[in-house]
């Protein structure tokens, strides 16, 4: 694989994104609403500074924090929506029925063109990252030394130049921030491998704890550390852990997130500022800085940072990883290529161009990569299926978790229930519905009934997550939850109802996965997505105590051709056979 092939990759991705964007633009408003790329009608309330608040009684769109949207007068015909005022989605408050938007980087100096009381609509704005990555790669390719380094990395021939470990620093970190034996092995191997190494962290194995130990080690040695990822959630979580590690060491080092938005979940111990330059000259020692790779060119020159800790590297495509590593002297990739990979819009050849950064590391630099094997999340046998299916049987539960089970104040009310019994950690619920596309009313109603019984038995909403493959099912379940709240007179605040992709890296005590679809013909068309083995692995490993998977038996009538999808279908079938609950008047698994 070469830089030229990565350039071809980026061009194909850019063309496909453009085609998809224009195709969506030419749909009528109703169709855009149905595919969740348009939200209407909303009423402008007003705002202060760069932020604007809109009335929004119900949100069925797919917009997330940081997404670019176009604001137009309600009813603007296609394709005129592309001329709308560009803003960033900040948040949706379901309790108040409000949407908050902020001016984007391109419109930050422009006045908001709509007065309070105006009815508006929001559409997905075209926002390609491929041009930014291509520009970064072109910049590196122009320098002979950086080009040679990247070509060697891409070819898998980058030599290892072992580094010496500073034993006093290492021992001080491990004394204040303890790691288990497997984590220590990964920590040490990452330190001695130069300039690239990796740590594979299956679900709940403490990958971020090791990252924080590495950041603390280099901090004690007086080095600046850069923490990056394609996910702001991952960066924020990692920075919180880094700040905690420094506190345990008694160090008052500076941990900072360089981002104007997307700082949800950051601890108070982490500074927030738009640019690192805002720290000024008197920052007083080394820093641990977090930002996405897209900010690198605006913040510093190539090779400026001694160490880059690239988290969730399984979600980063090779062009972005290659563009990022040239900004540091040493890079440690952390991730798990057996979980969800990069989001791609096009089929790519050669295969290496579309694999994730961590998959590339596993393929070419395995001797510098360590697998963490002890899970602190999965209790009472929940690790067994994924361990055998994805990790060669090497993933084991920590002894304290191996026999852990769900303990609810009113758990005795659920005893003997084939689905909800706390003593049954893993259940597949077979249904008989057919013809459902992106949502199933039957499953949504059933999930709401389970939520009601679980909360009646003492489960707190924040302990529960409901996962879905499609936003259509997400919206149906949220509607059922809203109706449930109305009947009961209290809110299920803290309950998560979201797609599998959005919960990667997170966990809950109880996880329900609603498969929704039951049309084999349509499933065959989206088999690469629906039966992705990595998506199944993520869905099955979010729970700490109990998981429930519900779906129609018609799923298993799907004729699947791609090998990856066939593997996923086979794994789902095996999971269903091993975990089926018999329910009266429901589908019965053969």
């Amino acid at each position: 694989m070469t830089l030229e092939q990565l350039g071809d990759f980026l061009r194909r991705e850019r063309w496909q994104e453009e085609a998809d964007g224009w195709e969506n633009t030419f749909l009528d408003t109703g169709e855009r609403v149905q595919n969740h790329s348009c939200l209407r009608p909303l009423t402008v309330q007003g705002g202060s500074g760069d932020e604007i608040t809109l009335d929004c009684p119900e949100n069925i769109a797919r917009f997330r924090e940081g997404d670019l949207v176009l604001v137009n007068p309600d009813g603007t015909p296609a394709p005129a929506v592309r001329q709308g005022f560009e803003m960033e989605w900040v948040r949706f408050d379901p309790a108040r029925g409000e949407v908050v938007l902020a001016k984007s980087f391109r419109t930050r100096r422009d006045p908001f063109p709509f007065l309070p009381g105006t009815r508006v609509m929001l559409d997905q704005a075209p926002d390609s990252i491929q041009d930014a990555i291509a520009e970064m790669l072109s910049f590196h390719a122009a320098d002979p030394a950086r080009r040679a380094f990247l070509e060697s990395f891409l070819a898998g021939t980058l030599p290892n130049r072992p580094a010496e470990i500073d034993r006093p620093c290492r021992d001080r970190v491990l004394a204040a921030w303890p790691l288990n034996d497997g984590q220590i092995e990964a920590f040490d191997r990452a330190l001695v491998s130069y300039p690239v190494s990796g740590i594979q962290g299956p679900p709940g194995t403490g990958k971020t704890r090791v990252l924080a130990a590495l950041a603390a080690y280099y901090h004690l040695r007086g080095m600046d550390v850069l923490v990056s990822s394609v996910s702001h959630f991952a960066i924020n979580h990692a920075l919180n852990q880094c700040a905690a590690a420094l506190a345990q060491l008694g160090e008052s080092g500076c941990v900072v997130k360089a981002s104007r938005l997307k700082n949800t979940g950051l601890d108070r111990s982490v500074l927030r500022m738009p640019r690192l330059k805002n720290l000024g000259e008197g920052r007083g020692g080394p820093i641990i800085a977090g930002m996405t790779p897209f900010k690198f060119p605006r913040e510093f020159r190539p090779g400026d940072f001694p160490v880059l800790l690239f988290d969730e590297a399984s979600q980063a495509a090779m062009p972005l990883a290659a563009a990022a590593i040239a900004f540091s002297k040493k890079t440690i990739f952390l991730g798990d290529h057996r979980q969800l990979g990069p989001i791609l819009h096009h089929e790519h050849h050669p295969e290496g161009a579309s694999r994730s950064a961590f998959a590339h590391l596993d393929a070419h630099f395995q001797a510098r990569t360590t697998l963490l094997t002890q899970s602190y999340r999965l209790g009472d046998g929940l690790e067994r299926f994924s361990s055998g299916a994805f990790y060669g049987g090497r993933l084991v539960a920590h002894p304290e978790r191996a026999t852990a089970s769900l303990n609810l104040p009113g758990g005795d009310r659920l005893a003997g229930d084939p689905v909800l019994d706390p003593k049954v950690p893993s259940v597949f619920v077979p249904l008989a519905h057919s013809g459902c596309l992106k949502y199933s009313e039957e499953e949504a109603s059933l999930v709401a009934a389970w939520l009601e019984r679980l909360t009646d038995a003492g489960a707190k909403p924040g302990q529960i997550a409901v996962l879905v493959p499609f936003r259509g099912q997400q919206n149906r379940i949220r509607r059922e939850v809203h109706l449930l709240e109305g009947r009961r007179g209290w809110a299920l605040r803290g309950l998560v109802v979201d797609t599998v992709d959005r919960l990667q890296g997170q966990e809950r005590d109880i996880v329900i996965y609603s498969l929704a679809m039951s049309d084999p013909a349509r499933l065959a068309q989206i088999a690469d997505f629906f039966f992705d083995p990595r998506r199944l692995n993520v869905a099955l490993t979010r729970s700490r105590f109990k998981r429930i998977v519900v779906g129609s038996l018609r799923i298993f009538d799907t004729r699947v051709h791609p090998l990856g999808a066939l593997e996923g279908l086979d794994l789902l079938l095996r999971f269903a056979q091993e975990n089926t609950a018999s329910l009266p008047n429901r589908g019965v698994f053969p």
Side-chain angles (χ1 to χ4, degrees):
M1 183 170 44
T2 65
L3 285 173
E4 284 70 24
Q5 288 171 332
L6 290 191
D8 291 340
F9 169 99
L10 292 170
R11 281 188 288 274
R12 287 193 295 267
E13 284 289 292
R14 183 71 177 92
W15 293 335
Q16 191 62 53
E17 285 180 354
E18 272 293 304
D20 292 346
W22 276 105
E23 182 179 353
N24 187 65
T25 298
F26 279 96
L27 297 176
D28 65 39
T29 305
E31 289 178 292
R32 297 201 309 277
V33 170
Q34 286 298 315
N35 68 18
H36 314 296
S37 64
C38 177
L39 183 59
R40 65 179 294 265
L42 303 92
T43 305
V44 177
Q45 286 187 358
S48 58
D50 287 343
E51 290 195 348
I52 304 297
T53 302
L54 311 173
D55 278 326
C56 180
E58 182 182 15
N59 172 26
I60 63 170
R62 62 178 176 226
F63 306 133
R64 306 285 180 175
E65 182 183 7
D67 284 355
L68 290 180
V69 297
L70 297 172
V71 186
N72 283 285
D74 188 40
T76 298
V81 294
R82 302 218 12 153
Q83 307 304 315
F85 190 80
E86 184 182 271
M87 302 196 76
E88 289 189 23
W89 181 279
V90 176
R91 63 182 174 275
F92 169 66
D93 186 335
R96 295 188 176 189
E98 294 178 347
V99 164
V100 177
L101 306 177
K103 292 180 182 178
S104 73
F105 181 77
R106 284 185 285 265
T107 61
R108 68 191 188 283
R109 302 185 188 280
D110 300 329
F112 185 65
F114 303 105
L115 297 174
T118 305
R119 289 168 69 85
V120 298
M121 58 194 282
L122 307 182
D123 275 275
Q124 187 83 52
D127 180 30
S128 176
I129 62 174
Q130 314 308 330
D131 291 343
I133 300 173
E135 185 176 343
M136 291 166 69
L137 285 176
S138 296
F139 175 64
H140 294 319
D143 181 274
R146 290 201 302 275
R147 183 184 182 93
F149 168 76
L150 291 178
E151 291 281 15
S152 180
F153 171 70
L154 294 173
T157 58
L158 189 65
N160 187 33
R161 303 194 294 277
E164 292 288 333
I165 294 180
D166 185 324
R167 289 289 167 178
C169 283
R170 171 196 182 272
D171 295 345
R172 184 181 167 194
V173 169
L174 296 181
W177 190 253
L179 304 177
N180 66 36
D181 290 346
Q183 292 169 340
I184 292 173
E185 179 187 352
F187 177 78
D188 286 343
R189 186 177 294 181
L191 294 181
V192 300
S193 300
Y194 184 91
V196 170
S197 57
I199 298 173
Q200 183 183 356
T205 52
K207 167 176 62 67
T208 310
R209 185 172 182 85
V210 181
L211 181 152
L214 291 165
Y217 169 86
Y218 287 112
H219 178 84
L220 290 181
R221 297 197 63 201
M223 300 180 184
D224 289 339
V225 177
L226 186 57
V227 177
S228 191
S229 176
V230 296
S231 160
H232 281 274
F233 174 85
I235 295 172
N236 296 349
H237 180 50
L239 291 177
N240 290 343
Q241 289 283 290
C242 291
L246 291 187
Q248 288 294 104
L249 282 159
E251 291 287 319
S252 58
C254 176
V255 182
V256 57
K257 171 75 181 298
S259 178
R260 190 167 62 93
L261 297 172
K262 302 185 181 181
N263 295 321
T264 303
L266 275 178
D267 290 344
R268 292 183 178 180
S269 54
V270 180
L271 297 176
R272 303 158 175 81
M273 51 189 56
R275 300 285 302 275
L276 285 184
K277 293 179 180 179
N278 297 135
L279 283 172
E281 297 297 328
R283 64 187 191 183
I287 63 170
I288 300 174
M291 70 186 75
T292 62
F294 305 105
K295 289 184 73 78
F296 290 3
R298 295 175 54 205
E299 294 286 352
F300 38 80
R301 295 168 299 179
D304 266 7
F305 262 80
V307 181
L308 166 62
L309 305 178
F310 200 118
D311 200 10
E312 297 296 349
S314 58
Q315 297 182 23
M318 280 302 298
L320 181 60
I325 64 174
F327 284 92
S328 69
K329 295 179 175 65
K330 173 180 174 61
T331 300
I332 301 173
F333 289 106
L334 301 98
D336 180 14
H337 57 292
R338 300 302 292 176
Q339 297 186 62
L340 286 170
I343 298 174
L344 302 179
H345 299 269
H346 199 283
E347 293 185 9
H348 296 279
H349 300 282
E351 179 187 353
S354 59
R355 66 163 52 118
S356 74
F358 206 91
H360 179 78
L361 205 71
D362 181 70
H364 295 288
F365 302 101
Q366 217 172 51
R368 307 179 213 179
T369 303
T370 309
L371 172 70
L372 303 177
T373 59
Q374 201 167 68
S375 176
Y376 291 82
R377 173 188 303 163
L378 304 168
D380 196 16
L382 289 175
E383 87 290 348
R384 289 186 199 125
F385 184 84
S386 285
S387 180
F390 301 103
Y391 303 106
R394 297 176 65 188
L395 181 64
V396 297
H398 185 272
E400 294 178 2
R401 298 292 304 154
T403 58
S405 58
L406 185 62
N407 183 21
L408 299 177
D412 56 319
R413 304 176 201 169
L414 305 176
D417 185 294
V419 176
L420 302 180
D421 191 334
K423 295 182 180 179
V424 181
S426 182
V427 177
F428 178 81
V429 182
L431 303 181
H433 64 75
S434 63
C436 293
L437 295 177
K438 293 192 175 181
Y439 63 88
S440 163
E441 298 284 6
E442 180 181 356
E443 289 186 28
S445 298
L446 198 56
V447 168
W450 292 336
L451 292 173
E452 185 170 21
R453 293 198 62 200
L454 286 166
T455 51
D456 280 348
K460 297 179 181 178
Q463 291 179 272
I464 308 171
V466 180
L467 302 183
V468 295
F470 312 110
R471 292 186 180 91
Q473 184 68 354
Q474 178 187 33
N475 293 329
R476 290 314 188 279
I477 293 174
R478 283 181 173 176
R479 185 184 65 188
E480 291 289 338
V481 168
H482 181 70
L483 293 173
L484 175 60
E485 291 173 336
R487 291 197 305 270
R488 303 300 300 276
W490 41 254
L492 291 171
R493 288 196 179 93
L495 171 71
V496 170
V497 182
D498 216 328
T499 60
V500 175
D501 308 59
R502 293 289 177 175
L503 213 70
Q504 178 157 316
Q506 302 184 54
E507 62 182 41
R508 294 294 186 276
D509 289 348
I510 306 165
V511 174
I512 302 170
Y513 184 25
S514 173
L515 295 168
M517 223 170 171
S518 57
D519 184 321
R522 178 58 180 150
L523 278 167
Q525 296 173 356
I526 60 168
D528 279 340
F529 166 82
F530 190 87
F531 295 113
D532 186 342
R534 299 167 301 177
R535 179 168 280 99
L536 179 63
N537 187 28
V538 172
L540 296 182
T541 54
R542 300 307 95 198
S543 51
R544 299 181 68 242
F545 296 107
K546 187 171 183 66
R547 66 182 171 216
I548 303 168
V549 180
V550 56
S552 169
L553 296 177
R554 291 285 289 158
I555 289 171
F556 303 109
D557 294 334
T558 307
R559 295 186 177 183
V560 175
H561 299 294
L563 289 179
L566 187 59
E567 177 193 358
L569 174 59
D570 180 66
L571 289 172
L572 181 59
L573 176 61
R574 179 146 53 96
F575 174 83
Q577 291 171 328
E578 294 175 4
N579 295 270
T580 292
S582 298
L583 297 179
N585 303 318
R586 301 285 181 189
V588 180
F589 202 86

